[in-house]
Amino acid sequence: MIGATSVAAALQAASPAPAPGSGIFSSSLLLSILVWTPVVVATVIAILPNPRGRYDTLMKQIAFFTNVGLLFILWVAYNQFENFLSNVQYEEKVPWLPAIGATYHLGVDGPGMIMLILSGLVGLASVLASYGIRERVRSYFCLLLLSQACVTGAIVAHDMFVLLLFWGAATVPLALLVLGWGGPRREAAAWRLVVYWGLGTIALLLATMAMYAAAGTGSFDMDVLLKVALSPRLQLAVGAALMVAAATRLPLFPLHGWVRDVYSEAPLGVSVVVAGSASRLGAYMLLRVLVSGEPIGAQLLSPLLAGMAAITVIYAGIVVMRQTDLRHAAAHLALVPGGVTALGLAALSPLSIAGSVLSLLSGGLAAALIVGVSATLTDRAQSRSLNVLSGLASRMPNLSWLMLFGVLGLLGIPLMASYPAEAMTFFGSFRNQPVGAFAVAAGLAVVAVGIAVIVHRVLFGSPNPDAPGVSDASLGESWYLAIMAGALLWVGVFPGGPKLPGTDVPIFDPGVVNTMAAGITNIASPYVGSGR
Amino acid sequence: MNALVLIPETLVAGAAIVLLLAGRLGAVPRSRRPYLPAIVASVVLVAFILELWLGGTLASLFGGGFVQDRFALFAKAAVLLAVGTAIAAADWGAEDSLSIGLAMPLLGAFGVMVAASAGDFVGLWAGLELAAAAGVVLVGLRRPDLGLRLLVAGGVATGLLVVGFAFVYGAAGTADLLAARRVLQTAAPTLPLAIPVLLLFGGLAVRAGIAPFHLASVPAGLGATPLGAGLVVGLVAAAGLVAAIKIAAVLSPVPEVLSPWLGVVAAVAMVGGGAAALAVRAPRARLAYLAASQAGWVAAGLATHYRAGLGGSLFLLGAFALAATCGPAVMGGVEGGEASLAGMGALRPARAAGIAMAFLSLAGAPPLAGFFGEFAVAASLAQSGHLELLALGLLGSVLSLAAALGTLRVMYIQSPPEEGRRATGSALPTVTSVSAAGAVALCAVIAAYGIFGNPILGLADQGAEALGLR
């Protein structure tokens, strides 16, 4: 309730107090720096001489400090973000291909800044999670940095051409990472990723082109393209294509076919990136294009989206209960936050949309945490089978705590970031999508049962004497998981940011809910006063 | 002053003739031969710069038979860049003859330049034949049987083209492209016009190696030397596509006849090429099918039948010519299955990067040249209401991307075999400073093509405008 109240207040407040120091730093290229720095560093890593892997550690350090640097820039940007303005900030706009109306247009609003924070945290965690990579280190970190750049680029894109470019480009490095460093079933995992994400890219491109052709403005700029009022029929068609694109990426049932293989076969750092930030792009794109730009289509398709969200959560719960492989179970658990986010977008009320945006952050962190912790745990326990893993809490205390954080974060327990997110989503959804909201809630109950069974067996059951030897997480593993667990807890405890005692002045974090509120008012405006 | 625009053509054709004569007379001392590729690449680079410098002048020479406009400027610049990069990046240890290996790509480029500047059917035909003949020579040098096959297929294409030209000439009463366009502007889309359209584009499809008319060009490309493959898969196809764009502009008054047929051909090429690329394992075959698929995108742009579509096709043609010509060249003597590329990323990083860029660009992967070109065509397809063609093209691109990723996986992820166990025909390319620089240049150009796409697409758009479309 605390979170919901804070957000409601933030949504109504015209001018929340800015963080101290806001306005000191500004750069017209800030977003370009965030997007292109990883590309430049990846190129540098690619051409650095590395005879017999002598500088492998240096490569890892370069990738790590690049992410630390980017996170610092992001933190500055987050603090400088003027959260009482609803327009796009840090905007960059340069004509790219004027002949077809493509512009290099970047910018972020509140939801975009939330996604950037998620991407930054997950990026750092993924590099830390990848410290154990021993083979072809140079290629690995090159591709990892490129995939991070693609995710960031898709977040800040304010032109459909730029969005498509980064959305499509993300597939290449991620598929190669799975192919090159994945588990025994890596080939199947990589091809599934290519096929599903390729299908999603086709759908997004078709939707974009349909809007472009119908609008007749000759521009891919979101400011132009999404402002044109299309016919309801076309909005429905475009919306359906956008939903397919989002459902392949987020993913939602029935387009979730890549999840199990990719999350269980991909190398640890890649699983974290995909589960944490790359897959959240599906819901973010839906928010940015469908909910924000095609309100009639969004309203017509909202029951379908709510249905997909409900089926996804229920399906995940049922599969988790029947699983015998911990990583497969974690892969299906990672579907749950996407279902909650989709429900919030389907409900189309300001509060549910705000809940969805917050659940992008909390769900991304929780999904990455649960996928990451299960992968680390199964590595450390030398088994993935739930028939073998048992009673690990006493022998793996760090991982057990982190796993508990992950599942609690997934379920939306108070003091976790997912609590205000889910509270807002459900409060905002029960009026507009009662059946969907009830079904998602019921699905969460099924998921909770599945989680309880797994946690009880794996962590607190009687130790299995026949199981292989186990060891707790290393320092690096603990750190990468703790970053995500800590962020979940921080946002859960301080959704509005910590304040100087007795004042409303934020100390160093202006508050996630204050920041995200900046753009939600605009996005939700078509749905205010329409009976929703 | 107008005659200055002929300097690039003169340089290229002159260099080719000098090389052939020098090779025949043995005029180049053995000690100097290693420098020859760098010298020839430099000559082509000079021709490229001169083309950009002088080619901006609008000119009409030889009684209208040679036209220098923005279309010609774009096509010629693209083909010169492709040939220069291919010559620099080629593995000359894998070529059978230095002088012929250097001369034929130059003659092929000259053929494309003639076709691009052709003001009438004769010039168009001559340019096409010149480019195709260069391909036949280079293929036949190593595999006479495949050279013969290419020659026969080329003969069929020529037959179709000549009959088609004759029909159009009969209908329009002139061989001049602009005059024919003016006459046909008022013509109704009747059967007598449908026949030449079908014949012309049938012939051009065979020339361009567009699936399913690739039955001669792909096998020929597989058996040829690396540069020979690049010549057949890239340059000769580019010549066919340049001619197709010019003819599509001439026949613009009869889109009802043209568009559906081109749409079908484009769809088959885009999806079929992508599927075939996924089905085969040999890297050179895969590249040839990827090229066939991207050629389908160029044809799709023609099916839109308006300026933006032709501009997009021309923009994509530049990306296509670059990747399809340089891809086989940079692969060098790797002729076996995909295992022959295993570990190339570690052993030959510059070449591996060049191969990867060529494959990904032909597959239309963002953010490389092919993606920008295909996006420009996709935008024109959407604007002209060809969403079904667009969907099929995207399907073909996903198939192509999966195929390209398969090759990248082998290069960067598989461990290299021990040198002693390396199969025959899978020798790694020899690295020289020139070839490494060529491979790096290929990467840079493919990456920069889209990033600095504004002036390039602008020029392509002006090129389409020069053909008289609105």
Side-chain angles (χ1 to χ4, degrees):
Chain A
M1 271 316 288
I2 296 170
T5 315
S6 312
V7 170
L11 284 172
Q12 286 162 6
S15 174
S22 66
I24 293 173
F25 171 86
S26 70
S27 165
S28 56
L29 294 174
L30 190 133
L31 296 180
S32 283
I33 290 170
L34 290 175
V35 174
W36 295 108
T37 300
V39 177
V40 172
V41 174
T43 312
V44 170
I45 287 180
I47 58 178
L48 268 182
N50 186 23
R52 297 176 188 278
R54 188 187 298 173
Y55 300 119
D56 280 354
T57 310
L58 178 67
M59 309 271 172
K60 293 176 185 177
Q61 287 168 347
I62 290 174
F64 173 74
F65 285 110
T66 301
N67 271 280
V68 170
L70 289 175
L71 202 56
F72 174 73
I73 294 172
L74 191 54
W75 177 73
V76 172
Y78 172 59
N79 270 280
Q80 303 301 308
F81 191 79
E82 307 208 32
N83 53 24
F84 47 87
L85 297 175
S86 60
N87 58 334
V88 172
Q89 296 176 43
Y90 305 120
E91 202 169 11
E92 298 172 31
K93 194 170 182 178
V94 181
W96 196 343
L97 301 174
I100 58 169
T103 317
Y104 179 73
H105 189 182
L106 309 182
V108 282
D109 56 2
M113 184 51 78
I114 299 301
M115 281 294 288
L116 277 182
I117 294 166
L118 174 68
S119 171
L121 289 170
V122 166
L124 184 61
S126 72
V127 171
L128 282 172
S130 305
Y131 249 67
I133 293 291
R134 297 273 178 275
E135 291 180 350
R136 304 179 301 277
V137 172
R138 178 215 297 266
S139 306
Y140 181 91
F141 282 94
C142 249
L143 292 169
L144 192 66
L145 286 167
L146 288 177
S147 64
Q148 288 174 10
C150 292
V151 173
T152 310
I155 292 169
V156 300
H158 219 66
D159 182 286
M160 290 304 288
F161 171 73
V162 181
L163 173 64
L164 270 161
L165 189 141
F166 287 114
W167 175 283
T171 312
V172 176
L174 287 172
L176 284 172
L177 283 165
V178 176
L179 264 176
W181 291 266
R185 283 176 47 76
R186 58 177 178 264
E187 296 242 350
W191 295 134
R192 276 172 184 253
L193 187 78
V194 171
V195 169
Y196 277 93
W197 286 27
L199 175 70
T201 306
I202 290 178
L204 181 57
L205 213 149
L206 281 176
T208 303
M209 290 302 176
M211 287 190 285
Y212 175 73
T217 53
S219 172
F220 287 101
D221 195 323
M222 287 185 188
D223 284 348
V224 178
L225 197 59
L226 301 183
K227 295 279 190 298
V228 176
L230 305 177
S231 69
R233 183 178 289 189
L234 188 61
Q235 286 202 29
L236 188 65
V238 166
L242 292 173
M243 274 178 57
V244 169
T248 53
R249 194 62 66 108
L250 192 51
L252 293 175
F253 186 92
L255 295 169
H256 64 289
W258 57 269
V259 165
R260 194 191 70 172
D261 283 340
V262 171
Y263 287 162
S264 57
E265 299 298 328
L268 194 50
V270 179
S271 296
V272 168
V273 168
V274 176
S277 52
S279 62
R280 302 302 120 189
L281 286 177
Y284 180 68
M285 181 277 295
L286 217 49
L287 172 82
R288 172 87 33 248
V289 183
L290 179 64
V291 175
S292 170
E294 312 297 341
I296 299 172
Q299 285 174 341
L300 290 172
L301 289 164
S302 62
L304 179 63
L305 185 59
M308 287 169 76
I311 294 172
T312 302
V313 178
I314 293 169
Y315 167 81
I318 293 170
V319 172
V320 166
M321 283 204 289
R322 296 171 60 87
Q323 272 302 332
T324 56
D325 183 313
L326 181 60
R327 290 193 71 173
H328 287 178
H332 286 95
L333 283 175
L335 289 172
V336 175
V340 175
T341 310
L343 172 70
L345 295 179
L348 294 175
S349 70
L351 192 59
S352 74
I353 292 172
S356 279
V357 173
L358 189 53
S359 78
L360 285 172
L361 176 68
S362 64
L365 290 170
L369 182 56
I370 198 73
V371 167
V373 80
S374 68
T376 308
L377 189 142
T378 51
D379 282 352
R380 292 281 165 182
Q382 302 184 61
S383 173
R384 294 163 54 152
S385 171
L386 288 170
N387 298 323
V388 175
L389 299 170
S390 184
L392 298 177
S394 57
R395 290 178 289 168
M396 305 169 107
N398 292 346
L399 279 173
S400 301
W401 272 109
L402 290 163
M403 188 174 186
L404 279 175
F405 266 106
V407 294
L408 295 179
L410 210 65
L411 289 173
I413 301 299
L415 297 183
M416 290 288 178
S418 42
Y419 172 67
E422 291 188 11
M424 283 188 281
T425 304
F426 281 109
F427 291 160
S429 302
F430 265 107
R431 187 172 164 203
N432 295 340
Q433 292 293 342
V435 178
F438 178 79
V440 171
L444 278 177
V446 179
V447 170
V449 173
I451 284 176
V453 170
I454 289 177
V455 167
H456 173 72
R457 185 188 299 169
V458 174
L459 300 186
F460 304 115
S462 51
N464 183 353
D466 300 327
V470 301
S471 58
D472 205 357
S474 67
L475 189 66
E477 289 165 344
S478 301
W479 267 105
Y480 96 81
L481 293 167
I483 285 173
M484 294 182 287
L488 269 174
L489 198 59
W490 178 264
V491 176
V493 175
F494 299 110
K499 307 278 196 305
L500 282 173
T503 69
D504 271 346
V505 179
I507 299 175
F508 57 88
D509 170 11
V512 165
V513 290
N514 296 326
T515 302
M516 77 181 199
I520 291 175
T521 318
N522 268 2
I523 292 170
S525 59
Y527 311 106
V528 177
S530 62
R532 289 178 172 275
Chain B
M1 280 298 287
N2 281 351
L4 289 177
V5 298
L6 288 172
I7 291 178
E9 279 89 341
T10 311
L11 258 180
V12 171
I17 292 165
V18 168
L19 280 166
L20 285 174
L21 288 174
R24 182 71 187 154
L25 303 172
V28 183
R30 189 172 290 276
S31 59
R32 299 281 170 85
R33 284 182 193 170
Y35 303 109
L36 215 47
I39 293 167
V40 175
S42 305
V43 169
V44 177
L45 183 65
V46 169
F48 169 72
I49 293 167
L50 287 174
E51 182 62 48
L52 290 179
W53 183 27
L54 303 170
T57 310
L58 301 180
S60 178
L61 302 169
F62 307 122
F66 179 97
V67 177
Q68 179 68 27
D69 54 14
R70 291 290 186 267
F71 175 85
L73 169 63
F74 184 94
K76 288 195 270 189
V79 84
L80 285 172
L81 189 61
V83 168
T85 312
I87 287 174
D91 173 17
W92 287 97
E95 298 295 326
D96 294 341
S97 163
L98 186 63
S99 57
I100 296 178
L102 283 167
M104 288 307 133
L106 294 181
L107 279 182
F110 180 63
V112 183
M113 293 168 88
V114 169
S117 281
D120 54 29
F121 291 141
V122 179
L124 209 54
W125 182 35
L128 267 175
E129 294 306 316
L130 193 55
V136 170
V137 170
L138 209 48
V139 171
L141 201 63
R142 176 171 290 185
R143 289 280 302 273
D145 56 324
L146 289 177
L148 188 64
R149 188 168 169 171
L150 198 59
L151 190 66
V152 171
V156 172
T158 304
L160 290 170
L161 280 170
V162 170
V163 177
F165 282 144
F167 264 108
V168 175
Y169 177 74
T174 174
D176 185 84
L177 293 174
L178 275 179
R181 185 173 186 280
R182 274 196 294 274
V183 172
L184 293 175
Q185 212 152 22
T186 52
T190 56
L191 187 64
L193 260 179
I195 292 169
V197 169
L198 283 174
L199 294 174
L200 275 175
F201 282 97
L204 291 171
V206 176
R207 276 274 179 253
I210 293 177
F213 303 103
H214 60 282
L215 297 173
S217 62
V218 170
L222 299 184
T225 60
L227 260 183
L231 188 53
V232 173
V233 174
L235 267 192
V236 178
L241 292 169
V242 162
I245 293 174
K246 293 198 85 155
I247 290 172
V250 169
L251 296 172
S252 67
V254 281
E256 296 94 322
V257 177
L258 179 71
S259 292
W261 192 86
L262 264 177
V264 171
V265 170
V268 171
M270 290 186 292
V271 180
L278 196 56
V280 298
R281 291 286 177 134
R284 208 191 266 186
R286 185 167 273 172
L287 187 129
Y289 285 119
L290 289 177
S293 179
Q294 195 161 74
W297 272 97
V298 179
L302 301 187
T304 62
H305 223 280
Y306 77 122
R307 196 183 102 186
L310 258 64
S313 283
L314 192 54
F315 183 53
L316 177 58
L317 180 63
F320 166 86
L322 193 68
T325 308
C326 297
V330 80
M331 248 190 289
V334 175
E335 291 168 10
E338 69 178 359
S340 52
L341 286 180
M344 199 177 218
L347 299 171
R348 301 284 188 273
R351 278 185 177 274
I355 297 168
M357 295 291 254
F359 270 77
L360 287 173
S361 180
L362 286 173
L368 303 179
F371 169 79
F372 285 86
E374 289 182 8
F375 195 92
V377 172
S380 65
L381 285 174
Q383 279 182 327
S384 61
H386 290 80
L387 284 176
E388 72 295 336
L389 197 53
L390 173 59
L392 289 170
L394 294 174
L395 175 64
S397 288
V398 170
L399 295 171
S400 297
L401 182 61
L405 284 176
T407 301
L408 262 64
R409 175 186 66 100
V410 175
M411 280 198 305
Y412 285 101
I413 290 163
Q414 280 190 6
S415 301
E418 289 175 27
E419 278 309 306
R421 294 186 179 180
R422 203 169 264 285
T424 314
S426 63
L428 285 173
T430 314
V431 178
T432 62
S433 53
V434 176
S435 69
V440 171
L442 174 63
C443 295
V445 173
I446 287 180
Y449 194 86
I451 293 168
F452 303 104
N454 184 4
I456 304 173
L457 181 58
L459 185 59
D461 202 44
Q462 289 176 29
E465 191 180 9
L467 294 176
L469 289 185
R470 291 286 175 266

